[in-house]
Amino acid sequence: MDTFIKVMKALSDPNRVRIVKILQDRTLCVCEMQALLSLPQPTVSKHLKVLEDAGLVSNSKDGLWVNYSIADGKDSPYAASLLGQLKHWLSDKPEIKTLQKKLLSIHREKLCKKD
């Protein structure tokens, strides 16, 4: 039951739902999500940690970048089920459409230059 509660709590925050929805479109780094959501970097990182702990999001390191993407769901049947449903839910909402449109102009190379 703990795993189920963790997944449900992770999706109880609107910003975390927004993160999941935009990660369905493409893999992103923290600075890209920060720009999309207009949230401070520590806030985005905390949301990502909650989503990761629930098995909804995973990350991979690519040189200096940490890329976040939708988890494959193998660690939690609850996460897998909800991720499958979320693909179909909320996509028609203006707020999500606005984020998806804004996503087209977000590029990490311009936002978060790493030297």
Side-chain angles (χ1 to χ4, degrees):
M1 181 129 125
D2 290 343
T3 305
F4 174 76
I5 298 299
K6 194 178 277 193
V7 171
M8 298 309 287
K9 281 185 179 181
L11 291 172
S12 69
D13 183 276
N15 283 316
R16 291 195 287 265
V17 173
R18 289 181 193 101
I19 290 170
V20 169
K21 289 302 291 179
I22 60 175
L23 288 177
Q24 288 176 338
D25 290 337
R26 81 173 206 231
T27 298
L28 298 167
C29 67
V30 173
C31 61
E32 291 171 309
M33 287 182 254
Q34 180 183 352
L36 273 168
L37 300 169
S38 300
L39 294 172
Q41 179 272 323
T43 302
V44 173
S45 294
K46 287 177 188 174
H47 285 313
L48 287 166
K49 178 70 174 140
V50 171
L51 291 167
E52 270 188 289
D53 288 347
L56 296 161
V57 168
S58 61
N59 75 63
S60 62
K61 191 128 168 98
D62 179 19
L64 296 173
W65 303 105
V66 178
N67 299 311
Y68 289 88
S69 58
I70 295 296
D72 59 16
K74 70 179 179 184
D75 294 332
S76 168
Y78 305 115
S81 179
L82 281 169
L83 287 170
Q85 293 302 317
L86 273 171
K87 285 182 185 177
H88 309 289
W89 294 341
L90 305 174
S91 296
D92 61 336
K93 298 297 177 194
E95 182 178 355
I96 299 301
K97 286 185 177 199
T98 299
L99 285 174
Q100 290 169 328
K101 192 178 220 180
K102 190 175 175 184
L103 182 60
L104 299 173
S105 64
I106 298 289
H107 302 285
R108 69 176 61 182
E109 293 80 11
K110 295 177 185 174
L111 288 172
C112 41
K113 296 179 185 190
K114 297 210 177 199
D115 300 317

